[in-house]
Amino acid sequence: MQNLQQIDVLIEHGCIITMDAQRRVLDDGALAVHGQRIVAVGATDALRQRYQAARVLDARRKAVLPGLIDAHAHAGHAMLKTMGGGNGEAWMHACKTIYTSASDENFWEVESHLAALERLKAGVTTGVSLLGGGDSIMRVDDPVYAQRHCAAVAKTGTRSVVAVGPSRPPAPRNYTTYAAHGATVRAVDDDTMYAVCQAIIDACHDSADQRIKIALTLPVYGPAYDPEIAAFEAIYRSQAGQYMALARARGLTFTQDGHRAGTLAFAHRELGLLGRASFMSHAIDLTGEDIALCRETGTSIVHNPSAIMSIRGRCPVPELIDAGVNVAIGSDGAAPDRGYDMFRHMSQCMHYHRRHFRDAGVLPHGKVLEMATIDAARALSMEQDIGSLEAGKKADIILVDLFKPHLMPLNMPVYRITCFANAGDVCTTIVDGNILMEDYRVLSVDETEVLERVTIEAERMLERSGLRHLLDAPPRLWGASHY
């Protein structure tokens, strides 16, 4: 009798959407996992003749995909996503107030647990999280907040890129620290923020078996859109040199939140921020020069089709792709009107650009799946390890239950995944070969305990901030065409 190779997990009888170079879709396919990595992908009969598995997962009537990748979101936001209703200014005010003066270490840990749990259940195995409110308020007055955030992700078992950098000028900026003896307010200057970012890298980068990565970020310089920042141009230039030198020295990726027409060209020509390790978010109303420079430098763009920025302007995704620029999808979550369901964002992406061009043939559904898997992995400089189901890559795998009314009949699986599936259809999530959720039951953390802690911390946040009124329904919620 033939000796079978011992492995940890064999997923068999699934419809495997590999996202490999040939974009193979295997009916009655199997996938062998040993340790943290995939060792084989092929037909079920062939792999059963080669491997003996400690665990066998039956994937009949299920699609097997690489874990989805959310290339842009925000730590902190998951606890604030109901505040302000349709009032964007009130929402941003809440972010600034809570992140600087009404949040403690427990807040950042619990919020991270909540976001990681939502992503895990939605099949998002890798997510980018800026540590705060985009390029305005970052929680970089002390490394403890990032450490607690990363510890929660590590415990949940998912993969994360945590972006840190200075808050938008001017500095110093006041931050409140809570301890047993009470609250302490201190002014935090640019040098302290930089030192804290260094400490975060030392403590967190490549932690949790390299599932946690630290990226650097800086505010976008765009005085045409925010004239007040022109007074701080010298600071923007100094920080660009300082933080990019740190990124190169430590081998880190770089990201920014909120690019629009002309700001990418300035970021490249004047600040030196574009390159293969850079992925820039939103990027609305780009100029031809912006697009050309992304192509020339190998810079990736992260499109957030469900974000408010995509209402104010359009990220020219089809034009970028046609020009040879790599484009990923981000949730920009969580916020008052969106979460971490990447199926929703893939669908939104297709319809958004089809409506713009009035052409239902824009953005094929296979392309948007690439943007949430292999293209997103490339944007994060992680394509050698994740983004597709191939031998040698990390075993980041999700199973999607196709045997549901909205996903029947059982044909055209890629189309059903991108156009009809949602986060609630993900039944099994595996990261680094570890089964974190099986048959819809989360195994890595106590889901009820996390949600109970969220309730407690949310109440504490509201009391400290004095912003409970932002939970009131807007006066024009019903019966009107506008808020």
Side-chain angles (χ1 to χ4, degrees), residues 120-123 343 398-400 422-429 437 440:
L120 166 63
K121 298 189 72 173
F343 298 93
I398 63 172
L399 274 62
V400 179
N422 61 66
D425 298 319
V426 178
C427 57
T428 298
T429 301
M437 180 174 72
Y440 301 101

Side-chain angles (χ1 to χ4, degrees), residues 228-344:
E228 293 181 358
I229 68 173
F232 307 105
E233 181 176 340
I235 294 174
Y236 279 84
R237 290 181 179 275
S238 174
Q239 288 181 337
Q242 185 181 35
Y243 279 84
M244 288 307 288
L246 179 59
R248 288 189 292 268
R250 302 300 297 267
L252 308 179
T253 54
F254 178 81
T255 189
Q256 287 188 295
D257 177 20
H259 275 288
R260 51 204 311 177
T263 60
L264 282 168
F266 185 90
H268 176 63
R269 299 196 185 284
E270 301 294 331
L271 304 179
L273 301 181
L274 271 58
R276 294 195 178 279
S278 297
F279 54 104
M280 305 304 207
S281 291
H282 293 298
I284 61 171
D285 300 331
L286 297 184
T287 66
E289 183 184 21
D290 290 329
I291 295 173
L293 288 172
C294 287
R295 180 184 65 246
E296 292 172 16
T297 60
T299 300
S300 292
I301 293 298
V302 181
H303 175 40
N304 303 279
S306 305
I308 292 174
M309 280 284 280
S310 287
I311 296 172
R312 294 173 177 164
R314 185 182 70 91
C315 178
V317 170
E319 297 96 320
L320 285 160
I321 293 170
D322 290 344
V325 177
N326 184 60
V327 184
I329 295 178
S331 68
D332 198 33
D337 60 353
R338 58 196 176 274
Y340 298 111
D341 184 346
M342 293 301 292
F343 298 93
R344 169 185 173 181

Side-chain angles (χ1 to χ4, degrees), residues 24 52 55 80 83 92 110-111 140 154 163 207 242 312-313 315 362 410 433:
R24 292 180 301 158
Q52 178 70 44
R55 286 289 314 277
L80 280 65
M83 300 186 72
M92 289 305 300
V110 169
E111 191 278 342
V140 287
S207 62
Q242 185 181 35
R312 294 173 177 164
C315 178
V362 171
L410 292 172

Side-chain angles (χ1 to χ4, degrees), residues 401-409 416 420-422 424-425:
D401 185 358
L402 300 177
F403 199 60
K404 293 184 174 182
H406 64 285
L407 291 171
M408 293 293 285
R416 282 181 291 140
F420 296 98
N422 61 66
D425 298 319

Side-chain angles (χ1 to χ4, degrees), residues 136-376:
S136 54
I137 299 293
M138 303 292 285
R139 193 72 211 236
V140 287
D141 54 309
D142 189 303
V144 68
Y145 304 103
Q147 290 171 337
R148 294 285 287 269
H149 170 92
C150 292
V153 176
K155 185 175 181 181
T156 307
T158 50
R159 202 178 298 281
S160 185
V161 178
V162 183
V164 298
S167 292
R168 179 180 287 276
R173 188 179 292 274
N174 288 338
Y175 287 86
T176 303
T177 300
Y178 291 89
H181 59 272
T184 302
V185 179
R186 67 186 182 113
V188 177
D189 60 18
D190 288 331
D191 290 341
T192 300
M193 293 183 193
Y194 180 75
V196 167
C197 289
Q198 289 181 306
I200 291 169
I201 296 166
D202 292 339
C204 302
H205 184 61
D206 275 342
S207 62
D209 289 331
Q210 300 187 331
R211 286 186 288 105
I212 305 294
K213 303 284 186 183
I214 301 299
L216 291 178
T217 185
L218 289 170
V220 171
Y221 183 72
Y225 309 101
D226 185 1
E228 293 181 358
I229 68 173
F232 307 105
E233 181 176 340
I235 294 174
Y236 279 84
R237 290 181 179 275
S238 174
Q239 288 181 337
Q242 185 181 35
Y243 279 84
M244 288 307 288
L246 179 59
R248 288 189 292 268
R250 302 300 297 267
L252 308 179
T253 54
F254 178 81
T255 189
Q256 287 188 295
D257 177 20
H259 275 288
R260 51 204 311 177
T263 60
L264 282 168
F266 185 90
H268 176 63
R269 299 196 185 284
E270 301 294 331
L271 304 179
L273 301 181
L274 271 58
R276 294 195 178 279
S278 297
F279 54 104
M280 305 304 207
S281 291
H282 293 298
I284 61 171
D285 300 331
L286 297 184
T287 66
E289 183 184 21
D290 290 329
I291 295 173
L293 288 172
C294 287
R295 180 184 65 246
E296 292 172 16
T297 60
T299 300
S300 292
I301 293 298
V302 181
H303 175 40
N304 303 279
S306 305
I308 292 174
M309 280 284 280
S310 287
I311 296 172
R312 294 173 177 164
R314 185 182 70 91
C315 178
V317 170
E319 297 96 320
L320 285 160
I321 293 170
D322 290 344
V325 177
N326 184 60
V327 184
I329 295 178
S331 68
D332 198 33
D337 60 353
R338 58 196 176 274
Y340 298 111
D341 184 346
M342 293 301 292
F343 298 93
R344 169 185 173 181
H345 301 304
M346 284 190 283
S347 179
Q348 177 89 336
C349 180
M350 288 185 285
H351 287 281
Y352 180 93
H353 295 282
R354 291 171 182 176
R355 172 63 184 85
H356 173 78
F357 288 102
R358 290 173 170 79
D359 181 354
V362 171
L363 284 182
H365 55 278
K367 184 61 201 177
V368 296
L369 185 55
E370 292 173 349
M371 294 166 66
T373 53
I374 188 61
D375 291 349

Side-chain angles (χ1 to χ4, degrees), residues 112-125:
S112 179
H113 263 308
L114 178 62
L117 180 60
E118 182 182 345
R119 279 174 160 165
L120 166 63
K121 298 189 72 173
V124 179
T125 56

